[in-house]
Amino acid sequence: MPIANTPTTVPVVVDEDKCIADKGCTVCVDVCPLDVLRISDLTGKAYMKYDECWYCMPCEADCPTNAVTVNIPYLLR
Amino acid sequence: MDDLRAGLNEVDCDLLVIGGGTAGPMAAYRARKKNPNAKVILLEKANVKRSGAISMGMDGLNNAVIPGHSTPEQYTKEITIANDGIVDQAAVYKYAQNCYGIIEELDQFGIRFQKDENGEYDVKKVHHMGTYVLPMPNGDTVKKALYRQLRRARVLISNRYMATRLLTGKSGRAAGAIAVNTRTGEFLVIKAKAVIMCMGAAGRLGLPTSGYLYGTYENPTNSGEGYSMAYHAGAKLANLECFQINPLIKDYNGPACAYVAGPFGGYTANSKNERFIECDYWSGQMMQEFYNELQSGKGPVFLKLNHLHKDTADHIEHILHTVERPSRGRFHEQRGTKYSEQMIEMHISEIGFCSGHSASGVYVDEFARTTVPGLYAAGDMASVPHNYMLGAFTNGAIAGEHAIEFADDVDFDDFDDAATSLEQERVLAPTRRDDGIPPNQIEYKIRRLVNDYLQPPKVTAKYELCQARLAEVRHDMETQMMARDAHELMRSMEVASILDCADMAAFASLYRTESRWGLYHWRSDYPGSNDVDWKCHVLLSQENGVMTCEKKDVAPYIIPIGEDEKDAYYKQRITAQA
Ligand SMILES: Cc1cc2nc3c(=O)[nH]c(=O)nc-3n(C[C@H](O)[C@H](O)[C@H](O)COP(=O)(O)OP(=O)(O)OC[C@H]3O[C@@H](n4cnc5c(N)ncnc54)[C@H](O)[C@@H]3O)c2cc1C
Ligand code: SF4
Ligand code: SF4
């Protein structure tokens, strides 16, 4: 059977003005226990690639520039 | 990243520790301390810096046995009663005797524990009988402090490697493990003289009602590989029918958390504002009362703090919203709930396996040895009941020291090379398909079946239906699961563990034809407990690939339990309500 992509809102927001991934930072990607963050080839900034989050927040706590915000996702609110 | 690459590397070490959450780092650290010449590898699916249940930190020690507040004998008695008598006391007693030393060691690492004005540990009473809860005002530093010690002890850390199978040597000993890089799909074969498994709970068994596969109580990285790998290696697993089920905040996947709120006067109440259980310490018996109240006309159930002084309620809120599960604060903010103003609605978590909270784990003795020589287990996945974080640290330390001594005395046990190629084929099969079912859909189906059929109350006919449905899903998984990159490959392997755990949960539950541990093993067609036939462990294992269960006597008690004491945890319900 063919595979489709279903849209979903994701909890992690990265402030691209603050993110310094283009200077080599990968801290949030490195620490995430679920391994769901990536650096975008397109923007050179961090983003949430997979909707597989535990809302635990190391990504936010460890980001050196406070670029990450973990929101409570819609189905939990 | 995530592009699949072919590759196979081989390394060897004296001791392999799998899982770098709580027990694992302590095991690796203590092994290196004991034998500074030993080569110790710590393998971690995520990143040791922020992995496991304590990735952000912890609010307190739930089971600290501290001189002047309680004794190892009292603790052993309490846990024996809380776990309905099914306890080999030697392991609990050993934990209780050793945990104070671990607290002092953690203190030296820089993790502070709450002290009173006289400089004494400020231990709080939450359990039914004794006093064991010790708050951690800087609980957010745990992971950093541990990591510093690992670096100092020069433990070799391999992050982003997911273990998938243990290797068994020709003489039957543990001989290492096979792991897959979660970002490239490359294999790593680790030969070892001894192996310690610290892979945490099986936290992705039931499905959270939010609809998020990863919105579980447990850290969802802990998807049950520890249980599954132990099973496939021929180890015995104890009392898997004693599920983990916890009280949570409704909709949010964090504990409610009586251990923090209780000592300040917070408690669990029904919708009439009435307290209905004496003791908020998590046990199956307490969860049964919780469940009964939810189902009754007096439900739902709430965490009640709004009768406390505002400063006190705010203080509790501050602790609960900053350390262990800080997103809880955001959840309440969005809902507009304040602990000082409203009661907080609670609910029941999905089911899982976890000895840290209940008693379902790989069978271990007081030295953390499993039934396979050279194979150890510690933390949530090992069978020492109600062991929590301090249990993971303490038994991790015990495992590390014993295993490194074992490794000193033996040589590598050769294993069959065919085992690695077979495992490579099993792991990579989903990557060889260009048409099929993605792992998240297979996972959803398994976990939906778990909720529909395996959640207590346990009904025999429903369990048998579930087994048949799970067998169909297994066939789908083996013939149709498809992974397009390394990340999906990791998820595929997790699905295989989750399915193994679901099968084990069903099989063990059907075997024990009585009810025990309150809600954890409530069988509606066998509603009473039956001490004559079932005051024993149930051990699950495989014989020639076929799942089997056997009874094992509870070891004679070291600390006797009186007839008048043994049912204390069943006396939870407050009868005359004020
Ligand atoms: C939300 C929450 C709150 C809690 N609050 C308290 C509290 O206040 N006080 C208390 O005493 N206890 C508390 N506990 C319990 C306590 O945290 C656990 O009992 C303890 O941390 C378990 O340690 P562990 O080493 O067994 O598992 P973990 O610390 O979870 O470590 C397991 C590790 O194994 C890794 N892993 C999993 N699978 C694989 C694989 N296939 N290959 C390689 N690595 C793998 C994981 O990434 C993880 O790092 C809480 C637990 C939770 C979830
Ligand atoms: S940690 Fe912060 S700065 Fe670094 S990559 Fe992530 S978002 Fe960007
Ligand atoms: S909240 Fe946790 S799981 Fe979610 S992206 Fe951040 S670190 Fe990863």
Side-chain angles (χ1 to χ4, degrees):
Chain A
M1 282 188 282
I3 293 192
N5 289 321
T6 306
T8 176
T9 54
V10 295
V12 168
V13 179
V14 175
D15 182 337
E16 295 199 347
D17 293 335
K18 288 189 187 162
C19 173
I20 51 167
D22 45 358
K23 297 202 176 74
C25 181
T26 56
V27 168
C28 58
V29 181
D30 294 343
V31 295
C32 172
L34 276 302
D35 206 12
V36 295
L37 304 175
R38 291 290 180 268
I39 309 295
S40 162
D41 290 335
L42 231 61
T43 60
K45 305 288 177 179
Y47 77 109
M48 186 164 219
K49 181 170 178 191
Y50 304 97
D51 187 20
E52 301 166 341
C53 184
W54 191 41
Y55 341 116
C56 47
M57 291 174 58
C59 54
E60 180 176 319
D62 294 350
C63 171
T65 64
N66 293 323
V68 182
T69 308
V70 179
N71 294 300
I72 300 299
Y74 180 66
L75 298 181
L76 229 69
R77 272 179 212 169
Chain B
M1 207 141 68
D2 304 326
D3 289 341
L4 284 160
R5 272 187 252 154
L8 173 77
N9 281 306
E10 234 183 89
V11 290
D12 56 45
C13 59
D14 297 298
L15 173 64
L16 169 65
V17 181
I18 312 176
T22 314
M26 198 55 150
Y29 168 79
R30 277 297 190 89
R32 283 278 303 164
K33 280 266 151 186
K34 179 137 196 176
N35 180 354
N37 298 316
K39 185 172 173 189
V40 177
I41 294 183
L42 179 59
L43 192 84
E44 168 57 50
K45 189 201 262 185
N47 185 321
V48 172
K49 276 187 189 163
R50 285 296 197 182
S51 60
I54 61 171
S55 74
M56 282 303 279
M58 205 96 299
D59 290 338
L61 299 175
N62 290 349
N63 51 344
V65 184
I66 295 188
H69 296 275
S70 61
T71 64
E73 290 74 21
Q74 284 168 335
Y75 178 79
T76 305
K77 183 181 266 193
E78 175 122 22
I79 296 305
T80 305
I81 296 169
N83 203 46
D84 224 337
I86 314 296
V87 173
D88 283 355
Q89 288 185 336
V92 176
Y93 193 45
K94 182 153 185 185
Y95 157 76
Q97 288 170 315
N98 281 283
C99 71
Y100 184 61
I102 297 286
I103 294 174
E104 294 188 309
E105 188 169 13
L106 294 172
D107 199 75
Q108 281 161 18
F109 291 176
I111 303 162
R112 280 188 299 112
F113 300 95
Q114 193 155 301
K115 300 209 168 128
D116 62 19
E117 54 278 9
N118 303 320
E120 305 288 336
Y121 286 120
D122 189 11
V123 197
K124 313 275 189 192
K125 182 171 186 301
V126 175
H127 291 61
H128 214 37
M129 296 144 75
T131 304
Y132 307 104
V133 172
L134 180 58
M136 294 164 63
N138 69 344
D140 58 320
T141 59
V142 183
K143 269 296 201 180
K144 281 210 174 78
L146 278 179
Y147 191 67
R148 254 197 320 270
Q149 297 304 323
L150 288 175
R151 297 304 297 263
R152 207 167 279 170
R154 280 181 285 133
V155 170
L156 303 168
I157 298 172
S158 285
N159 288 320
R160 303 290 172 198
Y161 273 100
M162 170 182 181
T164 63
R165 281 288 185 270
L166 294 165
L167 290 162
T168 310
K170 289 182 177 146
S171 71
R173 268 171 30 214
I178 303 177
V180 182
N181 187 297
T182 61
R183 287 164 173 183
T184 65
E186 288 163 295
F187 285 83
L188 183 64
V189 175
I190 310 108
K191 274 174 74 170
K193 295 176 184 167
V195 178
I196 308 178
M197 298 183 290
C198 305
M199 282 170 272
R204 249 156 75 202
L205 191 51
L207 190 67
T209 40
S210 68
Y212 289 113
L213 287 175
Y214 299 79
T216 47
Y217 168 76
E218 290 290 344
N219 183 323
T221 323
N222 298 338
S223 42
E225 278 89 66
Y227 293 80
S228 168
M229 286 164 59
Y231 172 78
H232 288 286
K236 297 188 177 184
L237 296 98
N239 304 317
L240 297 179
E241 65 280 15
C242 179
F243 293 171
Q244 158 176 246
I245 309 169
N246 296 332
L248 297 185
I249 290 176
K250 175 82 169 60
D251 297 333
Y252 178 73
N253 56 336
C257 178
Y259 300 170
V260 174
F264 292 101
Y267 56 83
T268 310
N270 59 25
S271 61
K272 312 257 182 272
N273 288 322
E274 290 162 347
R275 186 170 191 160
F276 60 96
I277 31 180
E278 300 246 2
C279 163
D280 287 328
Y281 176 71
W282 296 1
S283 63
Q285 298 87 324
M286 185 282 271
M287 285 310 298
Q288 182 75 60
E289 295 299 350
F290 193 115
Y291 177 92
N292 292 348
E293 200 75 0
L294 271 180
Q295 302 301 320
S296 79
K298 291 183 175 175
V301 166
F302 298 86
L303 174 66
K304 182 168 167 57
L305 299 177
N306 59 353
H307 58 293
L308 302 175
H309 190 279
K310 185 172 181 313
D311 293 347
T312 310
D314 287 349
H315 176 64
I316 298 169
E317 190 173 84
H318 176 74
I319 300 173
L320 286 174
H321 292 184
T322 46
V323 183
E324 180 180 289
R325 295 289 282 136
S327 56
R328 176 170 25 205
R330 288 196 187 154
F331 171 79
H332 287 303
E333 205 180 308
Q334 214 145 35
R335 286 264 167 115
T337 32
K338 284 289 292 168
Y339 288 14
S340 58
E341 289 162 15
Q342 295 105 328
M343 299 202 293
I344 310 299
E345 189 183 351
M346 292 167 74
H347 203 70
I348 290 187
S349 74
E350 66 283 350
I351 68 163
F353 292 151
C354 178
S355 263
H357 295 86
S358 65
S360 29
V362 176
Y363 184 79
V364 292
D365 67 7
E366 67 271 30
F367 300 106
R369 290 182 290 201
T370 71
T371 52
V372 172
L375 182 64
Y376 295 74
D380 282 353
M381 65 166 289
S383 67
V384 186
H386 294 236
N387 222 204
Y388 290 97
M389 178 175 60
L390 191 55
F393 281 134
T394 306
N395 293 357
I398 291 170
E401 295 197 346
H402 202 280
I404 203 66
E405 245 175 56
F406 177 91
D408 284 347
D409 291 340
V410 299
D411 210 342
F412 291 106
D413 194 5
D414 278 335
F415 54 87
D416 192 352
D417 282 333
T420 51
S421 39
L422 266 176
E423 178 59 359
Q424 273 183 291
E425 273 323 296
R426 181 186 77 93
V427 169
L428 292 176
T431 67
R432 312 250 196 251
R433 302 183 182 112
D434 42 26
D435 186 16
I437 307 168
N440 61 314
Q441 281 197 303
I442 301 189
E443 176 170 344
Y444 182 85
K445 189 153 178 175
I446 297 166
R447 295 173 63 188
R448 201 257 299 159
L449 291 170
V450 166
N451 277 22
D452 286 353
Y453 294 110
L454 300 188
Q455 262 185 146
K458 304 180 181 181
V459 181
T460 304
K462 284 173 71 178
Y463 263 63
E464 287 166 355
L465 272 174
C466 191
Q467 288 181 313
R469 299 301 317 278
L470 290 173
E472 292 161 15
V473 178
R474 184 174 289 279
H475 181 262
D476 300 341
M477 180 184 84
E478 285 170 355
T479 56
Q480 297 181 62
M481 184 161 64
M482 182 175 81
R484 297 169 298 179
D485 61 21
H487 187 82
E488 286 184 4
L489 183 60
M490 162 171 71
R491 297 298 179 226
S492 305
M493 290 304 97
E494 292 175 343
V495 170
S497 315
I498 293 166
L499 182 51
D500 283 346
C501 289
D503 279 339
M504 290 192 274
F507 197 85
S509 294
L510 281 175
Y511 185 73
R512 187 183 282 276
T513 49
E514 64 152 0
S515 290
R516 193 170 288 274
W517 303 292
L519 184 63
Y520 299 164
H521 183 64
W522 172 25
R523 284 197 68 170
S524 18
D525 31 7
Y526 299 94
S529 68
N530 169 358
D531 278 355
V532 177
D533 296 318
W534 291 107
K535 195 155 187 192
C536 60
H537 301 284
V538 166
L539 298 186
L540 179 148
S541 62
Q542 58 150 330
E543 257 168 48
N544 306 318
V546 179
M547 201 175 280
T548 168
C549 274
E550 65 196 282
K551 293 182 181 182
K552 180 180 188 294
D553 285 343
V554 170
Y557 289 159
I558 304 167
I559 316 295
I561 309 291
E563 252 323 287
D564 54 331
E565 299 169 307
K566 74 178 185 28
D567 293 327
Y569 267 71
Y570 279 99
K571 294 170 188 141
Q572 298 271 355
R573 183 157 277 276
I574 293 176
T575 35
Q577 278 172 352

